[in-house]
Amino acid sequence: FYGDEIGTLTLGAGLYSTELWLGKTIAKLMLENPQQNFEIMQRDWLKVMQMVKENRIDVGLSSIFHAAMDPAFKTELLKEVRVHFICRAGHPLDNGRDPTMDDLRRYPYVGVVMSKRQADHFGGNAGKFGEIDPQSGMLVPAFETASVAVINQIVIDTDAIGLAPEPLLKNMIAQGKIVGLGRMHTPWLLSPVGFVYLRDRPLAPITRTFIEMVRAV
């Protein structure tokens, strides 16, 4: 496919990237490239990296914190995305205060794997929140999923803690079922989101078009 305009553009997209930018981008691409086929696989950032490395996708759009340190990849930063902890309205932590790490350890986390940089804030003990992988140092959620709809429903129906970026958080809070914890002051959850692809594999023109369209969106 690389170097051709006709074929299937295969994308791997992280949780927040899909919700924030991908729908509008693909819709525009479809209108301007009616002969082009698209395949989107929504995964967490770690699996997106694996799919790129295994040549299963043309380009990934997700957190690039770890990919930027791997010489096999080339990365392009799109945006620093700030995410915040969320819980159901009426949750024991819905008290207007910033949650402490001990607060978070008392409840299961539903979402995607946290990077080692983020997991280090738990000091090796995540409690009920999840499990610290002894080899990678990453935090594996108590319930792992890359679906925003699944995360929201579990958070609404249980005492689980989720994560959401600021734009999506505003929409969910407006529904009155989900709240942002405390003052949402969680600077260590800032995530560099961007594009990742193999350094030694040139991008097809349609892939570069996709990247530029996401930036425009």
Side-chain angles (χ1 to χ4, degrees):
F1 166 69
Y2 275 78
D4 295 330
E5 285 297 320
I6 304 301
T8 299
L9 175 59
T10 307
L11 312 170
L15 175 65
Y16 309 128
S17 308
T18 302
E19 298 294 326
L20 293 171
W21 307 299
L22 212 52
K24 290 183 179 180
T25 302
I26 296 301
K28 187 175 182 181
L29 269 173
M30 289 175 64
L31 290 174
E32 297 184 7
N33 301 271
Q35 303 299 317
Q36 184 71 49
N37 298 317
F38 301 94
E39 181 180 2
I40 302 172
M41 289 180 277
Q42 185 180 20
R43 302 288 191 274
D44 67 29
W45 60 271
L46 191 57
K47 292 183 177 64
V48 168
M49 283 178 57
Q50 293 171 347
M51 289 191 296
V52 171
K53 187 166 285 190
E54 295 168 2
N55 285 318
R56 295 166 55 195
I57 58 176
D58 299 313
V59 63
L61 174 59
S62 65
S63 171
I64 59 172
F65 178 79
H66 281 270
M69 296 184 287
D70 189 326
F73 298 119
K74 186 170 182 179
T75 60
E76 299 181 29
L77 179 66
L78 175 64
K79 184 179 179 63
E80 295 275 0
V81 175
R82 188 175 298 284
V83 293
H84 304 285
F85 290 115
I86 58 173
C87 65
R88 62 173 175 82
H91 188 284
L93 295 184
D94 179 18
N95 53 25
R97 297 186 296 104
D98 287 332
T100 66
M101 303 312 295
D102 284 338
D103 289 334
L104 296 175
R105 291 187 183 98
R106 291 161 49 199
Y107 301 97
Y109 161 55
V110 54
V112 300
V113 173
M114 284 188 174
S115 69
K116 182 181 183 302
R117 175 176 61 92
Q118 296 167 336
D120 283 347
H121 287 266
F122 286 87
N125 174 25
K128 294 181 179 180
F129 200 78
E131 182 178 353
I132 306 294
D133 184 276
Q135 293 184 329
S136 67
M138 299 177 190
L139 190 150
V140 180
F143 187 93
E144 186 177 351
T145 178
S147 167
V148 169
V150 171
I151 291 172
N152 290 349
Q153 196 60 57
I154 291 176
V155 169
I156 290 170
D157 291 343
T158 72
D159 280 346
I161 303 297
L163 286 170
E166 287 181 342
L168 298 182
L169 188 59
K170 293 177 183 178
N171 295 334
M172 292 188 294
I173 289 177
Q175 299 172 8
K177 296 180 179 179
I178 289 177
V179 298
L181 288 179
R183 299 188 303 276
M184 301 186 298
H185 181 65
T186 49
W188 55 275
L189 289 176
L190 192 68
S191 178
V193 173
F195 306 95
V196 55
Y197 48 90
L198 289 176
R199 183 174 296 277
D200 61 356
R201 191 175 181 183
L203 294 178
I206 189 63
T207 309
R208 177 53 61 184
T209 298
F210 163 75
I211 291 175
E212 296 308 318
M213 280 190 173
V214 175
R215 291 191 180 281
V217 168

